[in-house]
Amino acid sequence: MPRLPEFLALTAEQREIQLAVRAFAAQEIAPHAARWDRESHFPREVLPGMAELGLFGMLIPEAYGGLGLDTVSYLLALEEIAAADAATAVTMSVHNSLPTQMILHYGTEAQRMRFLPPMARGDILGAFALSEADAGSDASALRTQAVRDGDAYVLNGTKAWVTNGSEAGVILTMARTDTAGARNGARGIAAFIVTPDLPGVRVGKHESKMGLRASPTVQLVFDNLRVPIDQLLGEPDAGFIYAMASLEHGRLGIATQAVGIARAAFDHAVAYAAERRQFGKAIKEHEAIQFKLADMATRISGARALLFAAAAAKDRGEGVTQLAAMAKLTASETAMWVATQAVQVFGGYGYVTDYPVERLFRDAKVTEIYEGTSEIQRIVIARELYGE
Ligand code: CAA
């Protein structure tokens, strides 16, 4: 029995994808998520099964070895992975939404043919290196330098908060091509397809995070890294614009991850409220709990409706800058709120690691932070109001 209404008019193919990924996630991912979190274990062993389902090439056209599916299908699959384990979901989201999309949209035919087929097969994971220690929300303040030297660019600098960074075979990296004296802001930045086999790339600090502990987040240090010119993506002054445009896709991915987390927290709360007895009856019979569950169901359905409206608009080829920001803002704040309520329904048991809701509570928080904080989403939404 579904606990939330499936209000989307899915095609037969989309429904099939949703059910296949749901079954896979229930069997291969959900039972292990608590241990992976506890042990900070990156679940490499689950990647081949995900790859077999095509989950690393959902948006990559068939000509480059992917499934060539629409955004709605991709996000339906991602939602199922996220409901089972948010950490595995961010691995999938970053790979599909950022590096593969950037190579597909801005790469040369040779770059697409070289990188997309192994990425679609899941042989190579992708990462996205934009942020730095002093350039988070203010992303265009990044300082990693890229200096042209013959047939290569030489990169120096340190990237921060790189999801998949220690596991990736392709790291889409933004670096400044303008010289120190002539900062052109967002315009003086290029995007590079960095591969970790190049001498001069080193994985730095592994972050120890509050949540998503099974997803590796690292610093990447570039020390006189020579990136061959054929691994420059598009125009040398347009990398920031490519990154911003791709983050629209990324933000839909994180919104989906948040919906998955909220759904999981809600499911646990519903089940627990039916089992737990206080004052002589199951706590679901108490109005205080009923109202909580009703509000959780309503908020999740609202966030999901906005998310899939944004995804459908993207599939129609419409600009979704504002909608993607709204979906990410709504879904992440919903995830945090729903996870908080779920902990409350569990009471003391919600506060201990024997039960899953404390992990969901910890996992939810980052969705309000990465790929643009809630404050940045509000800026993006407000700017669009005036067409800025
Ligand atoms: N699509 C296309 N182009 C865009 C765009 C979009 N959505 N948004 C901005 N641009 C273009 C602008 O048109 C502008 O181009 P011109 O120079 O031609 O005018 C250029 O990009 C610069 O834009 P802004 O002037 O708006 O830049 P800004 O410095 O004021 O920054 C910002 C705007 C919205 C605050 C931006 O810095 C931002 O989004 N910050 C948040 C950073 C972020 O989301 N980081 C995520 C890190 S990745 C991550 O978390 C992944 C992970 O591992 C999970």
Side-chain angles (χ1 to χ4, degrees):
M1 264 289 276
R3 291 188 167 124
L4 290 169
E6 177 54 276
F7 49 81
L8 301 174
L10 301 181
T11 64
E13 189 190 40
Q14 287 168 340
R15 182 79 181 138
E16 203 179 305
I17 290 168
Q18 183 187 48
L19 293 179
V21 180
R22 184 175 297 169
F24 173 83
Q27 193 166 337
E28 305 293 336
I29 297 180
H32 311 293
R35 178 173 55 80
W36 294 341
D37 171 74
R38 202 167 49 244
E39 297 173 0
S40 293
H41 168 71
F42 177 66
R44 280 178 208 88
E45 63 274 24
V46 86
L47 303 185
M50 291 173 68
E52 209 167 298
L53 285 169
L55 300 186
F56 295 108
M58 297 193 80
L59 297 170
I60 297 175
E62 289 177 28
Y64 305 109
L67 297 181
L69 291 169
D70 55 7
T71 312
V72 169
S73 301
Y74 158 55
L75 297 182
L76 285 168
L78 181 60
E79 181 187 348
E80 297 307 322
I81 300 293
D85 180 32
T88 307
V90 77
T91 296
M92 176 176 159
S93 177
V94 167
H95 172 92
N96 280 284
S97 302
L98 294 167
T100 60
Q101 287 300 298
M102 286 180 78
I103 294 171
L104 179 63
H105 290 293
Y106 310 112
T108 61
E109 187 56 17
Q111 288 170 338
R112 291 179 189 160
M113 291 305 293
R114 176 175 166 198
F115 293 106
L116 292 180
M119 292 179 91
R121 286 195 301 272
D123 293 347
I124 290 182
L125 266 186
F128 178 79
L130 173 67
S131 306
E132 298 178 4
D134 295 322
S137 288
D138 186 7
S140 66
L142 66 88
R143 284 163 49 179
T144 293
Q145 198 75 48
V147 177
R148 181 76 191 259
D149 179 27
D151 60 356
Y153 276 88
V154 179
L155 269 61
N156 279 290
T158 301
K159 290 293 176 182
W161 313 115
V162 186
T163 300
N164 296 346
S166 52
E167 304 292 327
V170 161
I171 304 150
L172 238 300
T173 302
M174 273 45 74
R176 304 208 75 84
T177 44
D178 52 8
T179 52
R183 285 281 158 88
N184 296 320
R187 272 289 169 188
I189 293 171
F192 297 93
I193 307 171
V194 169
T195 48
D197 56 309
L198 295 170
V201 192
R202 179 168 65 78
V203 176
K205 184 183 176 206
H206 280 257
E207 303 295 345
S208 173
K209 307 192 299 293
M210 172 193 289
L212 291 193
R213 294 184 61 83
S215 154
T217 304
V218 299
Q219 283 185 346
L220 289 175
V221 182
F222 305 135
D223 183 10
N224 285 324
L225 162 68
R226 280 185 77 83
V227 183
I229 189 75
D230 63 3
Q231 289 176 220
L232 166 70
L233 192 77
E235 298 299 321
D237 64 349
F240 187 75
I241 292 166
Y242 303 156
M244 286 295 115
S246 307
L247 272 169
E248 289 181 11
H249 231 123
R251 288 168 184 167
L252 292 178
I254 300 306
T256 307
Q257 181 197 29
V259 166
I261 294 169
R263 241 184 61 190
F266 173 71
D267 273 358
H268 288 300
V270 168
Y272 184 76
E275 281 165 22
R276 172 76 170 164
R277 294 180 69 82
Q278 291 290 276
F279 302 104
K281 53 186 178 184
I283 62 170
K284 76 175 171 62
E285 305 299 336
H286 294 292
E287 200 175 65
I289 301 296
Q290 287 170 2
F291 280 16
K292 254 191 225 311
L293 296 176
D295 285 345
M296 291 158 87
T298 305
R299 289 209 195 185
I300 296 168
S301 297
R304 199 163 176 269
L306 187 52
L307 166 64
F308 282 98
K314 188 156 189 62
D315 285 335
R316 289 193 301 272
E318 296 167 18
V320 296
T321 305
Q322 191 183 45
L323 257 180
M326 287 177 171
K328 202 257 184 193
L329 174 65
T330 306
S332 58
E333 293 193 345
T334 297
M336 195 65 242
W337 186 84
V338 168
T340 305
Q341 301 310 309
V343 170
Q344 196 69 17
V345 169
F346 273 72
Y349 296 109
Y351 200 64
V352 293
T353 56
D354 298 349
Y355 291 85
V357 288
E358 65 81 33
R359 171 169 50 86
L360 295 165
F361 178 92
R362 289 186 283 108
D363 287 350
K365 185 59 206 172
V366 76
T367 66
E368 295 181 320
I369 298 174
Y370 61 16
E371 299 210 16
T373 61
S374 294
E375 292 73 15
I376 290 293
Q377 306 310 325
R378 287 185 169 91
I379 288 173
V380 172
I381 294 163
R383 278 183 178 183
E384 294 282 318
L385 297 176
Y386 296 99
E388 285 174 27

